[in-house]
Amino acid sequence: MPILQRQNEQAEEKRRIGITTAKLVPEGASVFLGSGTTVLEVARNLRNHKNLTVVTNSMAVINILADISHITLIGIGGLFRLSELSFIGHIAEAALSEINVDLVIMGTRAISLTHGLTNDYLPETMTDRTIMRIGQKVILVVDHTKFGRTATAFLAPLDAIHTIVTDNGTPHQYVNSLKEMGIDVIIA
């Protein structure tokens, strides 16, 4: 479903994930914010951070942060994907190759202990792979409904993620398994 239709699903869980994740972003950091409804909650909670540089391919994130003078906002262009209000493709990936950030904060469609991170739309997945490579640390923000699922397009193995912020509906078996893999799991 398009982003505008998904924004009310698990709204309370996403709100808590956004608050918790924003606390992980230090003042003065550079951060990439991906597209997706949970990342939008992170963006809403970064508005009071000082001296941030935010890079994004999300039109919705740009709209949330555009009026904040103490945030340097860098928008990545490319092919506009209406359903996600995001920019993807070759032009976006070329722009991303010129950027390094402290943190990448992104979501994914599905996360599986067996199949790793997967998405539904291959062109977006290729851009997301490029996004993951620009960060010193990758934080995945996903509510409990994303766990134990596999989508069509492989994005990355689980060891590409440093931290996962999720909600208390995530099954304990997933949390424990991810921690055993060395991934920091934070329950919002």
Side-chain angles (χ1 to χ4, degrees):
M1 289 191 311
I3 189 171
L4 296 176
Q5 291 177 5
R6 294 192 323 266
Q7 65 187 352
N8 294 326
E9 294 178 342
Q10 289 78 45
E12 179 56 28
E13 291 92 337
K14 291 174 184 180
R15 188 188 66 75
R16 289 194 321 263
I17 291 168
I19 291 168
T20 300
T21 304
K23 291 176 183 175
L24 301 175
V25 179
E27 302 271 332
S30 59
V31 59
F32 183 93
L33 296 179
S35 61
T37 56
T38 309
V39 176
L40 284 179
E41 290 300 322
V42 177
R44 286 184 179 98
N45 287 282
L46 288 176
R47 290 176 55 87
N48 293 322
H49 277 56
K50 303 292 184 219
N51 303 316
L52 284 184
T53 299
V54 174
V55 182
T56 187
N57 67 330
S58 168
M59 182 67 74
V61 169
I62 290 169
N63 287 335
I64 287 171
L65 299 177
D67 65 334
I68 308 299
S69 63
H70 53 267
I71 293 179
T72 300
L73 186 58
I74 301 170
I76 299 299
L79 177 66
F80 186 64
R81 184 172 182 213
L82 180 60
S83 65
E84 294 302 304
L85 301 176
S86 65
F87 295 94
I88 61 171
H90 174 74
I91 294 170
E93 292 161 26
L96 289 164
S97 72
E98 301 291 327
I99 296 172
N100 293 298
V101 294
D102 300 316
L103 300 171
V104 167
I105 300 174
M106 63 187 300
T108 191
R109 188 75 60 219
I111 180 170
S112 161
L113 295 175
T114 307
H115 301 287
L117 307 177
T118 54
N119 270 335
D120 290 328
Y121 188 60
L122 185 57
E124 181 181 47
T125 299
M126 300 304 290
T127 302
D128 284 350
R129 286 181 186 167
T130 304
I131 291 167
M132 292 177 80
R133 289 193 293 267
I134 69 168
Q136 300 299 312
K137 183 176 180 182
V138 178
I139 300 174
L140 189 71
V141 291
V142 286
D143 69 69
H144 67 276
T145 65
K146 305 300 195 297
F147 288 86
R149 296 176 50 199
T150 303
T152 308
F154 175 74
L155 172 57
L158 291 174
D159 64 7
I161 301 299
H162 299 95
T163 303
I164 296 176
V165 183
T166 188
D167 62 84
N168 57 11
T170 301
H172 295 295
Q173 71 183 43
Y174 286 97
V175 172
N176 293 335
S177 294
L178 292 165
K179 286 181 177 181
E180 288 173 9
M181 293 177 194
I183 300 169
D184 186 24
V185 180
I186 300 171
I187 305 297

